[in-house]
Amino acid sequence: MELKEQLKKHQGSSKSKIAKRAFFIFFGAVLMAVGLEIFLVPNNVIDGGIVGISIILSHLLGMNLGLFIFILNIPFFFIGYKQIGKTFALSTLFGISVLSIATAIFHPVPAFTEDILLATVFGGIILGAGVGMVIRYGGSLDGTEILAILFNKKLPFSVGEIIMFFNIFILGSAGFVFGWNRAMYSLIAYFVAFKTIDIVLEGLDESKSAWIISEQYQEIGDAIIARLGRGVTYLNGEGAYTGDDKKVIFCVITRLEEAKLKSIVEDHDPTAFLAVGNIAEVRGGRFKKKDIH
């Protein structure tokens, strides 16, 4: 009976996760369609990647944008299925299908603004939010990333550098089709979207890791718990030069708490070693902030 109950719970949990993933991929794809059809495309501003190529072809051939987005991404769906996995491929296919249909639905809607700068900035923000949401929930709306992963195995360049090269070529091509001022606005839209994707993936409340080495480790650790409400972990270390045993304090804080942490360390030991680094994601443990008394 216990096994059956556990299986039911697992199946229920899996279904809820799938439903949650589908909802956010759907919502992210619709957001991207809004950014494209209501802000960028009517003002002849393009995005990078396969979507950018689709916008150029749609303009030149006078055909539906969603059709090009879907057709040009089909090969990357099969590549993603083989190289990355079934879940990613199906999530990507679902997202691209929603994006293609949504662009067709929003195409007759007039542009929200004809101010080119406003359209570029807000279109980039909305598009980036949609793309970031889809990536966060395990999908993709553009095959360029998959292509870059494949080229990365054979070329001495990072995935990011390969994507940048593709997009410079695509955004440069926009200059010949829409004019060079529109190509420059497209570059601004791409940059805004890129930064928005980072915010969606990492969150505004960015987490940071802190490593502190001090003889007053106990006092500093107690102060962090009392004043920041964060848990700390004491690690055993050894100085490579002196061979002395040392205690290392490790804790995770938010970006807004960094200044206060530095103040705590400075108050207890101005000579303490402090290193702070960015963290992409935090799960488990007791990262949730405790009440401060």
Side-chain angles (χ1 to χ4, degrees):
M1 291 295 291
E2 277 186 36
L3 182 59
K4 286 183 178 179
E5 287 179 5
Q6 288 176 356
L7 286 171
K8 284 182 180 179
K9 285 182 181 179
H10 176 72
Q11 288 172 352
S13 175
S14 297
K15 287 179 181 178
S16 63
K17 285 180 180 178
I18 292 170
K20 182 180 178 181
R21 173 182 291 172
F23 172 78
F24 281 104
I25 290 175
F26 176 86
F27 186 58
V30 171
L31 271 183
M32 184 175 182
V34 170
L36 288 172
E37 288 288 4
I38 300 182
F39 288 90
L40 300 181
V41 174
N43 290 285
N44 291 331
V45 177
I46 75 167
D47 184 29
I50 301 300
V51 173
I53 296 173
S54 300
I55 294 171
I56 293 173
L57 290 175
S58 174
H59 177 80
L60 292 175
L61 301 176
M63 295 174 66
N64 185 275
L65 172 61
L67 183 64
F68 283 109
I69 291 174
F70 186 80
I71 291 173
L72 293 181
N73 274 297
I74 286 176
F76 302 106
F77 162 73
F78 290 106
I79 294 170
Y81 185 89
K82 290 181 179 179
Q83 299 291 330
I84 302 174
K86 181 180 177 181
T87 302
F88 170 81
L90 292 176
S91 298
T92 298
L93 180 63
F94 175 64
I96 290 170
S97 300
V98 173
L99 174 62
S100 301
I101 295 168
T103 52
I105 292 171
F106 289 127
H107 184 69
V109 179
F112 191 80
T113 178
E114 293 181 0
D115 185 307
I116 184 66
L117 185 58
L118 287 177
T120 299
V121 173
F122 281 91
I125 291 171
I126 295 169
L127 185 147
V131 173
M133 198 175 295
V134 172
I135 293 172
R136 184 163 188 165
Y137 286 90
S140 174
L141 293 175
D142 197 294
T144 311
E145 290 87 353
I146 301 170
L147 196 63
I149 291 168
L150 294 179
F151 277 121
N152 172 250
K153 296 176 181 178
K154 298 180 180 180
L155 297 174
F157 300 106
S158 69
V159 172
E161 288 170 341
I162 295 169
I163 291 172
M164 182 62 70
F165 173 78
F166 284 145
N167 286 328
I168 288 173
F169 175 76
I170 294 162
L171 294 173
S173 301
F176 295 100
V177 179
F178 300 112
W180 293 107
N181 65 330
R182 287 299 193 267
M184 288 186 281
Y185 277 115
S186 297
L187 192 60
I188 294 172
Y190 174 73
F191 178 76
V192 170
F194 185 80
K195 298 307 293 182
T196 306
I197 290 169
D198 280 348
I199 292 171
V200 173
L201 292 178
E202 297 176 8
L204 288 169
D205 202 18
E206 185 182 356
S207 299
K208 291 179 175 285
S209 61
W211 304 80
I212 306 158
I213 303 174
S214 170
E215 295 297 327
Q216 279 71 50
Y217 66 90
Q218 190 71 57
E219 292 85 350
I220 293 173
D222 290 345
I224 291 171
I225 294 170
R227 293 175 61 186
L228 283 181
R230 295 293 182 192
V232 300
T233 300
Y234 297 120
L235 307 174
N236 293 318
E238 181 182 339
Y241 182 74
T242 62
D244 296 339
D245 291 334
K246 296 179 181 293
K247 284 287 187 182
V248 181
I249 304 170
F250 173 75
C251 65
V252 176
I253 58 173
T254 66
R255 175 173 53 85
L256 301 177
E257 295 167 338
E258 184 178 352
K260 192 168 183 179
L261 175 70
K262 290 177 180 177
S263 175
I264 291 170
V265 175
E266 181 73 20
D267 289 345
H268 289 84
D269 184 3
T271 64
F273 172 83
L274 169 64
V276 179
N278 293 329
I279 298 177
E281 186 173 359
V282 178
R283 290 189 182 187
R286 295 186 178 181
F287 179 64
K288 189 175 180 181
K289 193 175 180 70
K290 299 175 183 177
D291 293 332
I292 303 173
H293 301 287

